[in-house]
Amino acid sequence: MIVCRSSSEIEKLRRVNLLVAEVLAALRQMAVPGVTTEEIDRVAEERVRAAGAEPAFKGYHGYPATVCVSANEQVVHGIPSKRPLVERDILSIDMGAKLDGYFGDCAVTVPVGRVSAEAAELLRVTEEALFHGIEAVKPGARVSDIGAAVQQHVEAHGFSVVREFVGHGIGTLLHEEPQIANYGPGGRGPRLAEGMVLAIEPMVNAGKPAVKVLPDGWTAVTRDASLSAHFEHTVVVTGEGCEILTLLESDAARVRELVGRSLLGSPSRT
Ligand code: MF3
Ligand code: CO
């Protein structure tokens, strides 16, 4: 069953998702040469706890940290480490938090210093694919319309969509129904309805789609060692379309350029 949230629940989801987006915006500034991903994780945990929230990933099936940090050929679920970032890395930072019983989830992939033209294009196309997926979200649309839109955009640019991991419903659990694949034909699966809350998170490889999990049991990497990018937003289905709960006002103008309409719907935002 896919839960439709009441307006008071959506208010709580707004709060936690805004916190996640704000912390992530601070973390992405830290992604410069010489910084370790453990340092990024420490700041993430401090900021989440200072806001009265809890890390959502730490302890989830034994995951050991607040953020997932996945560099270069790492796809998702990389564990923070003492390896300093170096110029030309691309780094996915994924973070979830729980506040007042509700979860938020958001991810970005950022360049560390200057990156190759291919890496920059991979980041751009993956984020655009996320927004194409988000544009498919409206009452009456089907869950699989999201993945169809993502896949179409990714493959049109010669990149490939990871099959093994999916987006998800989110609310009082980090992972709720439905599962949201980032590929496949549209027009299938449950219909979306107002109040459903979805975490949409395409993972895109520069090379082939296949991935494997390293012996640490978490880190997913591309089998062909090609670069991989990951972007995630949490959205709520509204009467007309959707509102991105993890979109900061400072990013709204740039996103409006990308999608041609505002996805910062809430009149209650200040
Ligand atoms: N954003 C990812 C997800 O929704 C991160 C989960 S990491 C885990 O699945 F550690 F919590 F598993
Ligand atoms: Co997620």
Side-chain angles (χ1 to χ4, degrees):
M1 196 207 28
I2 308 175
V3 185
C4 294
R5 301 290 168 184
S6 68
S7 51
S8 65
E9 291 182 291
I10 291 168
E11 205 40 62
K12 290 180 182 174
L13 284 156
R14 274 198 192 101
R15 225 171 290 140
V16 65
N17 278 285
L18 205 51
L19 170 67
V20 169
E22 283 167 357
V23 175
L24 204 54
L27 301 180
R28 62 183 297 166
Q29 301 298 320
M30 293 182 69
V32 296
V35 170
T36 70
T37 50
E38 275 185 2
E39 292 172 312
I40 293 174
D41 188 64
R42 193 173 329 116
V43 170
E45 181 163 359
E46 278 168 12
R47 303 242 342 204
V48 165
R49 294 201 191 277
E54 281 168 47
F57 301 166
K58 200 167 190 171
Y60 185 87
H61 295 285
Y63 186 74
T66 297
V67 290
C68 297
V69 278
S70 309
N72 302 325
E73 79 287 353
Q74 298 177 349
V75 179
V76 285
H77 303 166
I79 298 172
S81 77
K82 294 188 164 34
R83 170 190 175 273
L85 296 171
V86 297
E87 178 108 16
R88 293 177 72 79
D89 279 347
I90 58 171
L91 184 72
S92 156
I93 309 173
D94 185 357
M95 199 188 80
K98 182 186 189 183
L99 179 65
D100 206 6
Y102 289 82
F103 283 87
D105 196 0
C106 188
V108 288
T109 305
V110 294
V112 177
R114 284 180 63 84
V115 299
S116 69
E118 187 195 40
E121 197 197 355
L122 178 68
L123 301 191
R124 178 179 63 78
V125 169
T126 306
E127 188 178 26
E128 285 170 359
L130 168 58
F131 285 110
H132 283 286
I134 289 171
E135 282 186 285
V137 176
K138 49 178 176 260
R142 305 272 195 152
V143 168
S144 83
D145 296 342
I146 299 168
V150 168
Q151 183 178 25
Q152 198 283 326
H153 189 70
V154 168
E155 293 181 354
H157 290 270
F159 297 134
S160 67
V161 170
V162 172
R163 287 7 186 207
E164 285 86 345
F165 302 99
V166 295
H168 48 97
I170 179 169
T172 51
L173 298 172
L174 176 61
H175 294 145
E176 299 186 355
E177 285 180 48
Q179 294 197 358
I180 307 168
N182 294 296
Y183 66 97
R188 315 249 170 110
R191 281 189 196 281
L192 300 178
E194 195 170 344
M196 290 179 180
V197 181
L198 309 172
I200 302 173
E201 49 180 319
M203 290 138 273
V204 175
N205 298 348
K208 297 212 165 69
V211 306
K212 64 179 180 190
V213 175
L214 295 184
D216 66 16
W218 283 103
T219 313
V221 298
T222 56
R223 281 189 178 264
D224 63 6
S226 66
L227 294 177
S228 187
H230 173 218
F231 284 81
E232 176 176 26
H233 274 305
T234 295
V235 309
V236 56
V237 183
T238 61
E240 309 83 54
C242 70
E243 172 189 334
I244 305 178
L245 300 178
T246 41
L247 185 62
L248 296 178
E249 233 140 49
S250 52
D251 268 337
R254 189 179 63 87
V255 169
R256 204 175 305 115
E257 296 264 292
L258 227 50
V259 300
R261 70 180 158 94
S262 174
L263 292 160
L264 232 189
S266 159
S268 73
R269 277 179 191 250
T270 51

